[in-house]
Amino acid sequence: MNKIEIKEEIDRLIREIEFHNHLYYIESKPQISDYEFDLLLKRLQDLENEYSEFAYSYSPTKRVGGDITKKFETVVHRFPMLSLSNTYAEDEIIEWENRIKKITSDEIEYVCELKYDGVAIGIRYENGNMVKAITRGDGIQGEDVTNNVKTIRTIPLRLKGDFPLDFEIRGEIFMPHDVFKRLNKEREEIGEPLFANPRNTASGTLKMQDSAVVSARNLDSYLYGMYGDNLIFDNHFSAVEKAGEWGFKIPPAPKRFIEKSNSIKGIMDFIHYWDKERYNLPFEIDGVVIKVNDYKTQKELGFTAKSPRWAIAFKFKAERVETLLQSVSYQVGRTGAITPVANLMPVALGGTMVKRASLHNQDQIEKLNLFVGDTVYIEKGGEIIPKVVGVNFMKRSADASPIIFVTNCPDCKSLLVRKEGEAQHYCPNEDFCPTQIKGKLEHFIGRKAMNIEGLGAETIDLLFEKGYLNSISDLYDLQFDQIVNLEGMAEKSANNLLQGLQDSKMVPFSRVLFAMGIRHVGETVAKKLVNHFENIHALSDASKEELMEVDEIGEKIADSIISYFLNPNHLKTLDKLISVGLQFQNEKKLNQSNKLEGKTFVVSGVFETFSRDEIKLLIEENGGKNVGSISSKTSFVIAGDNMGPSKLKKAEDLNISIINEEDFRRMIS
Ligand code: IVH
């Protein structure tokens, strides 16, 4: 391809990726698989790596992250970022509306919106391209977090349609409940302390240094305000609608996320509706915002020192109930972390019955000054796990007793340890504590780890009780007779399980490493380690300093890896896993060969088992080169169905070998 063709190909890929991004993230109607999408992205990234002059700031590859920002630059806001006056009382909304009616004689229309509970952001676009994204900071100046904001799929990197040439759009970045839950589940699995709530997590995420980690966290956004010198609309509602046309994710009116109203009754109706419905939203809101729609009237009403007079927030009180703390029990995680759990007198809260709540750790219990027998306050927002937020000391009875944190593991009775600087207590008996062994086995067979078909927690329990399993490597010693004789097992399910174990020998190294259950080594860290170290030997021999050279690997993770490989029991398990044939070699390097070195390919048409991009990827992975058009230098044309007749003729004229999918497969196998 010449430079013009390369540029055209890059432009085409960007348009195609933008199109699928919009379908996936904004319309929730994807047309291609994630895999196909990743291939498009990889093709674009490769071209941009090779031809950096065509690596545009708006390219969707920028969303994947990877830029490390050591320090965020402080930037002064062009328009100060004010806050909203707010109230918890309906009367004050009525008073606000009355005040407005006195100031202006215009007929007033209001826009009611959700008050998203996240982090405010101001994003500037010039000529339709995102140039800067700044946090609120103190309202006068904020931090430049552009690289991180670029990873948020619902915020366009470049706009379409009739956008103003220079403007700023403001909105809220938040973490949806399912993402927050998934993140905490992952943290629980690797023995990390849990995040407290989605808002703080979104805020912390936005200030992370590695934008690749931000990208993986799936933040989301809604936009709610437009700022600029020559904006073309005359009211807020049309500005939001317009933003939708330019490619922003805007609040859907049919779902009542945004609504026009011209009466206090309409406003109250909106407030009452969301006070109940907020629990069914996939993200957290802490109230609703009422704004005067017309910009001219907004101007007339003006601002106080801190907030606009034309808007007010009605905040919802977090729903809080009282109940009795009956007892505290202690759970043992697979890494040995001990979590205290409050057993409560069942109470209705936010649409569900609450019976238990996590107390996190000893410090939290002490901070709350909690006694067994206390009447406690429980709060819950959205789908978040209920929390004990305080004690009603007026109701503390004489027979309430202080909570004495357990000293021994509730399962194996080992003396618990608490490392300096850590909040969590641990059971140190990691290789013999039954709960930890079973937890490690369950983690090992899990979907994101070895994904072993036909094996679940109950079977693990039964096999453990029989004494067949004492470590993860024992799984590969299981015999048909041992399995088939278990309660509820039949011949077919026993065979399935054995086949599942057999199949797991093909699971790639990064997932095997994750499955091994090293404390603090989650999916992402495992991938980073595998990318850096070619095989398990290189990893287990690495020094602390060498480990810390890997992106995002700090002292805590490095220490944990070192101590894992110093434990003779772990080494024995590992030797066994190696000898049964699990993958301990970097999978990328496995796929690669130089079989196609020096050969140039043109891929054309539609294929049966591969997509065009998959074939192109395989060509590159095996040392070959892709080109866009046929010339005398082309070694092979890989032809699928519907290949254009002119291409076919050109290949024939130049006497170039035309091969099909099957021939190609043989070439690289
Ligand atoms: S309008 C002049 N609309 O609430 C202020 N803010 O307490 C313009 N927020 O900093 C803000 N949802 O982070 C507006 N629909 C919404 C909002 C919203 C959430 C946040 C925003 C702001 C804070 C004000």
Short mmCIF file of all heavy atoms in Angstrom, two decimals, residues 51 122 181 219 317-318 361 383 411 462 556 576 654:
data_model
loop_
_atom_site.label_atom_id
_atom_site.label_comp_id
_atom_site.label_asym_id
_atom_site.label_seq_id
_atom_site.Cartn_x
_atom_site.Cartn_y
_atom_site.Cartn_z
N TYR A 51 2.90 3.58 10.94
CA TYR A 51 2.84 4.89 10.27
C TYR A 51 2.36 5.93 11.27
O TYR A 51 1.19 6.31 11.26
CB TYR A 51 1.90 4.84 9.06
CG TYR A 51 2.27 3.74 8.09
CD1 TYR A 51 1.64 2.51 8.14
CD2 TYR A 51 3.29 3.95 7.16
CE1 TYR A 51 1.99 1.49 7.27
CE2 TYR A 51 3.65 2.93 6.28
CZ TYR A 51 3.00 1.70 6.34
OH TYR A 51 3.37 0.71 5.49
N GLY A 122 -15.41 18.43 32.70
CA GLY A 122 -15.61 19.40 31.63
C GLY A 122 -14.75 18.98 30.46
O GLY A 122 -13.54 18.80 30.62
N LYS A 181 -19.67 -3.93 41.13
CA LYS A 181 -19.78 -5.24 41.78
C LYS A 181 -18.71 -6.19 41.26
O LYS A 181 -18.11 -6.93 42.01
CB LYS A 181 -21.17 -5.84 41.50
CG LYS A 181 -22.22 -5.33 42.46
CD LYS A 181 -23.31 -6.37 42.62
CE LYS A 181 -24.56 -5.93 41.96
NZ LYS A 181 -25.67 -6.79 41.94
N LEU A 219 -15.84 2.87 32.93
CA LEU A 219 -16.61 4.00 33.45
C LEU A 219 -17.66 4.39 32.42
O LEU A 219 -17.55 4.04 31.26
CB LEU A 219 -15.67 5.18 33.73
CG LEU A 219 -14.64 4.96 34.84
CD1 LEU A 219 -13.66 6.12 34.88
CD2 LEU A 219 -15.34 4.82 36.19
N LYS A 317 -32.82 11.37 50.56
CA LYS A 317 -32.16 10.89 51.78
C LYS A 317 -31.83 9.42 51.54
O LYS A 317 -32.63 8.68 50.98
CB LYS A 317 -33.11 10.97 52.97
CG LYS A 317 -33.36 12.39 53.42
CD LYS A 317 -34.14 12.38 54.74
CE LYS A 317 -34.86 13.69 54.94
NZ LYS A 317 -36.08 13.85 54.16
N ALA A 318 -30.61 9.04 51.96
CA ALA A 318 -30.27 7.62 51.84
C ALA A 318 -31.26 6.88 52.75
O ALA A 318 -31.51 7.32 53.87
CB ALA A 318 -28.85 7.39 52.31
N ASN A 361 -13.61 -5.11 58.58
CA ASN A 361 -12.41 -5.49 59.35
C ASN A 361 -12.52 -4.95 60.78
O ASN A 361 -13.48 -4.26 61.13
CB ASN A 361 -11.15 -4.96 58.65
CG ASN A 361 -11.26 -3.48 58.37
OD1 ASN A 361 -11.63 -2.71 59.25
ND2 ASN A 361 -10.98 -3.09 57.13
N GLU A 383 -28.05 -0.87 44.22
CA GLU A 383 -27.87 -2.31 44.42
C GLU A 383 -26.69 -2.61 45.33
O GLU A 383 -26.19 -3.72 45.39
CB GLU A 383 -27.57 -2.96 43.07
CG GLU A 383 -28.77 -3.06 42.21
CD GLU A 383 -28.40 -3.74 40.91
OE1 GLU A 383 -27.81 -4.82 40.96
OE2 GLU A 383 -28.69 -3.17 39.87
N ASP A 411 -12.22 -21.86 61.18
CA ASP A 411 -12.24 -23.20 60.61
C ASP A 411 -11.11 -24.07 61.18
O ASP A 411 -11.34 -25.03 61.89
CB ASP A 411 -12.13 -23.10 59.08
CG ASP A 411 -12.36 -24.44 58.41
OD1 ASP A 411 -12.79 -25.37 59.09
OD2 ASP A 411 -12.09 -24.54 57.20
N LEU A 462 -17.48 -32.57 48.03
CA LEU A 462 -17.54 -34.03 48.19
C LEU A 462 -16.16 -34.67 48.02
O LEU A 462 -15.74 -35.51 48.82
CB LEU A 462 -18.50 -34.64 47.15
CG LEU A 462 -19.98 -34.30 47.34
CD1 LEU A 462 -20.79 -34.79 46.15
CD2 LEU A 462 -20.50 -34.94 48.63
N LYS A 556 3.77 -4.46 46.91
CA LYS A 556 2.89 -5.43 47.56
C LYS A 556 2.73 -6.69 46.70
O LYS A 556 2.85 -7.82 47.19
CB LYS A 556 1.51 -4.77 47.79
CG LYS A 556 0.61 -5.57 48.67
CD LYS A 556 -0.60 -4.75 49.11
CE LYS A 556 -1.58 -4.62 47.95
NZ LYS A 556 -2.83 -3.96 48.31
N LYS A 576 3.98 -30.36 39.72
CA LYS A 576 2.97 -31.33 39.31
C LYS A 576 2.15 -30.77 38.14
O LYS A 576 1.90 -31.46 37.15
CB LYS A 576 2.09 -31.60 40.54
CG LYS A 576 0.94 -32.50 40.34
CD LYS A 576 1.36 -33.96 40.50
CE LYS A 576 0.14 -34.83 40.46
NZ LYS A 576 -0.69 -34.61 41.64
N LEU A 654 -0.52 -11.43 -13.39
CA LEU A 654 0.84 -11.31 -12.83
C LEU A 654 1.39 -12.66 -12.38
O LEU A 654 2.46 -12.74 -11.79
CB LEU A 654 0.84 -10.33 -11.65
CG LEU A 654 0.58 -8.87 -11.98
CD1 LEU A 654 0.37 -8.04 -10.72
CD2 LEU A 654 1.75 -8.29 -12.78
#
